[in-house]
Amino acid sequence: MPNQRPALADLIRGALVLLASICCTGRASASEVVWPIPEWQMSTPEEQGMDSADLARLVAFGRTRSFDSLLIARHGRIVLDAYYAPYTADIPHGLNSATKAVVSSLIAMVRKDGLLDSFDHPVLDLFADRNAANVDDRKRAMTVQDLLDMTSGLEWDEGFEGGREQSLIDLRRSPDWVKFILDRPMAHTPGGAFYYNSGNSHLLSALVTKLTGKSTVSYANDRLFGPLGIAPPFWPRDPQGVAIGGWSLALRPHDMARIGYLYLRHGEWAGKQLLPPDWVDAANHATVSMNANADPGLKYHNQFWAFPDKHVYMMVGYHCQVIMVLPDRDIVAAMTARDFCSFRKMADEISGAVKSEAALPANSDAAMQLANVLSDISIEKPTEIEPTSDLASAISGKTYRFPDNALAIKSLSLSLSGSQSGYAIEIDTHNPANPVINMRGPIGLDGFYRKSELTSFGLRAVKGSWLNKDTFVIDVQYVGLGEQRKFLLSFNGNKVSLRGTARDGRDILVDGEAGD
């Protein structure tokens, strides 16, 4: 309730400042290995040689990039644990394409177990039971390493730096994803040109299942998540039951950091070598150029992104879902967001907050600055609202239907009058097995989000307001999925114009009409 918010903010600030004033029981020590068993230890930034004021500025920057969370651990202790309302720490967050590096880690374990003789093993040999189409000498030469490095040479259109992602649309419509990927014709000689292809990653997930005799999810729970203390996570599967290798895994930020910490500790976890050290080292020395216009210095290897010049490597997903490892600083960072961010800037700002390898003196002013910003971002702020339009009653209860469009909205109905405001939306999934998702729930008309029940996919937080007498704006956060969409609905009698931004960044305008 609004009158309780100041008390909560004061409680958060007080607790953080108190932590900063406690005598340094967890002082910085790079030589002492601390394991997050059963949970992460917490520390002030200064105890680990970092500046609270710098971290406060970084948290504030995160708000400008629509962050959901930002976690930093140094010397095995969490020094920053920030959550931006309405997201909270207990909601698993979709990793998007950071899932790829988890799958590649499982492939490394399969190789360590002796179930894969070499990363240079030809892919088609491992799928000998499949009658792949468009087979030529180039496809026969494609190896597991080519899949890992995004140099498979398969023809693919994923809009890596913008575009329609046509191959992903077609993939989702296919009843057999592995067949769809294996059947792609070759566009390049394998091992040559880098091209971002989530199909490569899905083949790796299928290989985990094929070589271990277990589902990818079961193998991951046994060999990775279980040993790291991560409860079995939500991980959707394709129509054939294969865990989606290119995206879709969901983890809480503390668990994201555990995976990063496994890499920071060279594949070791509490005395057990889960990953080969040379596999971990290879991620830190990536050599495959990503040809990225946004940052030509980005390199790639084994489904990891890297800045070799900075000795920083990352698991990266769409909209800044990132697990970042900074070995020289003994730091792991985990961040989730609803927008893109500069990985290089984040690496520089995190590294720049390190002032010493030893503990710094307590700094009450900086601690208060950090406590204030952490409190501020954790509390939802209302947006300004305009007076309710006279149209609210006229449009309430009508169902507006739309032709096929890039926003994937088939129909929409609003209830904007009376005591129970709400929405009902039909979403086109492009999946023949489950072609439509029906979403309904409350909508906040007072500047605050109204939230749906928490599900495996997170929750929806929705609010709306009148822009003018004819146009209503809907603000939807898919909390835990790293997505936020705003839709403008301009009404004219029984007709409506829907405007929004597609996933690939295009502005979309589609006209609909009220119907039965």
Side-chain angles (χ1 to χ4, degrees), residues 132-193:
N134 298 305
V135 174
D136 58 15
D137 288 344
R138 293 182 298 176
K139 186 174 284 191
R140 292 188 188 94
M142 180 176 62
T143 67
V144 173
Q145 190 62 61
D146 295 327
L147 299 181
L148 288 165
D149 285 346
M150 296 291 182
T151 57
S152 65
L154 291 169
E155 183 180 278
W156 198 262
D157 179 10
E158 192 160 331
F160 171 51
E161 290 190 299
R164 183 168 164 75
E165 301 182 341
Q166 187 61 50
S167 292
L168 292 185
I169 295 172
D170 295 340
L171 176 67
R172 290 187 176 100
R173 289 173 173 163
S174 171
D176 188 335
W177 289 20
V178 172
K179 174 177 171 54
F180 176 87
I181 300 161
L182 286 175
D183 285 353
R184 294 305 88 204
M186 299 297 289
H188 306 282
T189 300

Side-chain angles (χ1 to χ4, degrees), residues 49-365:
M50 300 186 75
D51 181 10
S52 290
D54 282 355
L55 295 184
R57 286 187 286 272
L58 186 57
V59 172
F61 170 75
R63 172 184 279 161
T64 71
R65 303 311 305 162
S66 299
F67 272 34
D68 286 332
S69 67
L70 176 58
L71 181 155
I72 298 174
R74 190 172 197 226
H75 303 327
R77 297 177 175 89
I78 290 178
V79 299
L80 180 66
D81 203 18
Y83 299 93
Y84 300 74
Y87 183 73
T88 54
D90 59 322
I91 300 176
H93 203 291
L95 302 188
N96 295 338
S97 285
T99 301
K100 293 175 168 67
V102 175
V103 172
S104 74
S105 300
L106 299 179
I107 285 288
M109 291 177 171
V110 170
R111 173 74 179 91
K112 181 174 179 287
D113 290 346
L115 301 175
L116 175 65
D117 61 344
S118 170
F119 294 131
D120 293 326
H121 199 117
V123 172
L124 290 188
D125 286 357
L126 298 170
F127 289 103
D129 58 325
R130 296 271 186 168
N131 185 22
N134 298 305
V135 174
D136 58 15
D137 288 344
R138 293 182 298 176
K139 186 174 284 191
R140 292 188 188 94
M142 180 176 62
T143 67
V144 173
Q145 190 62 61
D146 295 327
L147 299 181
L148 288 165
D149 285 346
M150 296 291 182
T151 57
S152 65
L154 291 169
E155 183 180 278
W156 198 262
D157 179 10
E158 192 160 331
F160 171 51
E161 290 190 299
R164 183 168 164 75
E165 301 182 341
Q166 187 61 50
S167 292
L168 292 185
I169 295 172
D170 295 340
L171 176 67
R172 290 187 176 100
R173 289 173 173 163
S174 171
D176 188 335
W177 289 20
V178 172
K179 174 177 171 54
F180 176 87
I181 300 161
L182 286 175
D183 285 353
R184 294 305 88 204
M186 299 297 289
H188 306 282
T189 300
F194 172 92
Y195 190 81
Y196 196 81
N197 177 349
S198 292
N200 295 334
S201 310
H202 194 64
L203 290 183
L204 292 171
S205 178
L207 284 176
V208 172
T209 294
K210 179 176 285 291
L211 295 174
T212 65
K214 298 181 176 181
S215 71
T216 301
V217 175
S218 177
Y219 185 74
N221 286 334
D222 292 345
R223 298 300 310 278
L224 180 62
F225 300 138
L228 267 55
I230 300 173
F234 178 68
W235 196 343
R237 308 183 186 201
D238 75 3
Q240 302 296 312
V242 177
I244 298 175
W247 66 91
S248 80
L249 176 62
L251 294 173
R252 295 175 179 84
H254 278 214
D255 292 336
M256 293 170 64
R258 286 175 184 266
I259 294 176
Y261 197 63
L262 172 67
Y263 273 83
L264 184 65
R265 295 293 169 244
H266 312 289
E268 178 190 344
W269 192 267
K272 295 181 180 179
Q273 195 71 41
L274 302 185
L275 289 168
D278 59 345
W279 168 270
V280 176
D281 186 63
N284 194 27
H285 297 85
T287 58
V288 178
S289 175
M290 298 182 69
N291 305 314
N293 293 325
D295 194 322
L298 276 170
K299 304 295 183 182
Y300 199 86
H301 187 50
N302 289 344
Q303 310 275 290
F304 282 81
W305 302 41
F307 293 119
D309 59 320
K310 295 182 176 296
H311 295 169
V312 173
Y313 60 99
M314 306 164 285
M315 308 177 183
V316 172
Y318 179 83
H319 272 178
C320 204
Q321 323 312 323
V322 179
I323 302 172
M324 183 179 288
V325 184
L326 299 86
D328 293 353
R329 296 300 200 182
D330 199 32
I331 285 176
V332 168
M335 57 201 82
T336 62
R338 289 162 280 119
D339 200 353
F340 300 104
C341 69
S342 167
F343 308 136
R344 187 177 289 274
K345 176 177 175 61
M346 292 304 298
D348 287 344
E349 295 295 331
I350 292 169
S351 182
V354 176
K355 306 302 181 184
S356 172
E357 292 307 308
L360 299 171
N363 185 333
S364 59
D365 289 342

Side-chain angles (χ1 to χ4, degrees), residues 284-479:
N284 194 27
H285 297 85
T287 58
V288 178
S289 175
M290 298 182 69
N291 305 314
N293 293 325
D295 194 322
L298 276 170
K299 304 295 183 182
Y300 199 86
H301 187 50
N302 289 344
Q303 310 275 290
F304 282 81
W305 302 41
F307 293 119
D309 59 320
K310 295 182 176 296
H311 295 169
V312 173
Y313 60 99
M314 306 164 285
M315 308 177 183
V316 172
Y318 179 83
H319 272 178
C320 204
Q321 323 312 323
V322 179
I323 302 172
M324 183 179 288
V325 184
L326 299 86
D328 293 353
R329 296 300 200 182
D330 199 32
I331 285 176
V332 168
M335 57 201 82
T336 62
R338 289 162 280 119
D339 200 353
F340 300 104
C341 69
S342 167
F343 308 136
R344 187 177 289 274
K345 176 177 175 61
M346 292 304 298
D348 287 344
E349 295 295 331
I350 292 169
S351 182
V354 176
K355 306 302 181 184
S356 172
E357 292 307 308
L360 299 171
N363 185 333
S364 59
D365 289 342
M368 178 60 77
Q369 183 181 346
L370 179 57
N372 284 338
V373 71
L374 288 174
S375 171
D376 189 54
I377 64 166
S378 70
I379 299 171
E380 182 187 344
K381 308 296 191 302
T383 53
E384 293 185 8
I385 58 174
E386 296 295 325
T388 300
S389 169
D390 293 338
L391 282 178
S393 297
I395 67 173
S396 291
K398 290 184 178 180
T399 298
Y400 294 89
R401 303 191 185 281
F402 302 91
D404 185 45
N405 60 84
L407 300 176
I409 295 179
K410 293 177 68 69
S411 72
L412 181 145
S413 177
L414 296 172
S415 177
L416 302 179
S417 60
S419 59
Q420 298 295 323
S421 57
Y423 63 90
I425 304 176
E426 277 189 311
I427 301 293
D428 186 352
T429 67
H430 303 293
N431 180 353
N434 185 25
V436 174
I437 293 177
N438 290 293
M439 300 192 312
R440 61 182 63 246
I443 181 170
L445 301 178
D446 57 357
F448 288 99
Y449 288 107
R450 297 295 186 273
K451 302 176 183 64
S452 68
E453 294 295 323
L454 180 62
T455 71
S456 298
F457 292 95
L459 59 85
R460 294 184 304 278
V462 184
K463 62 183 175 181
S465 63
W466 288 96
L467 183 64
N468 53 50
K469 65 182 181 63
D470 300 317
T471 303
F472 187 73
V473 181
I474 303 176
D475 181 350
V476 183
Q477 276 202 43
Y478 298 93
V479 181

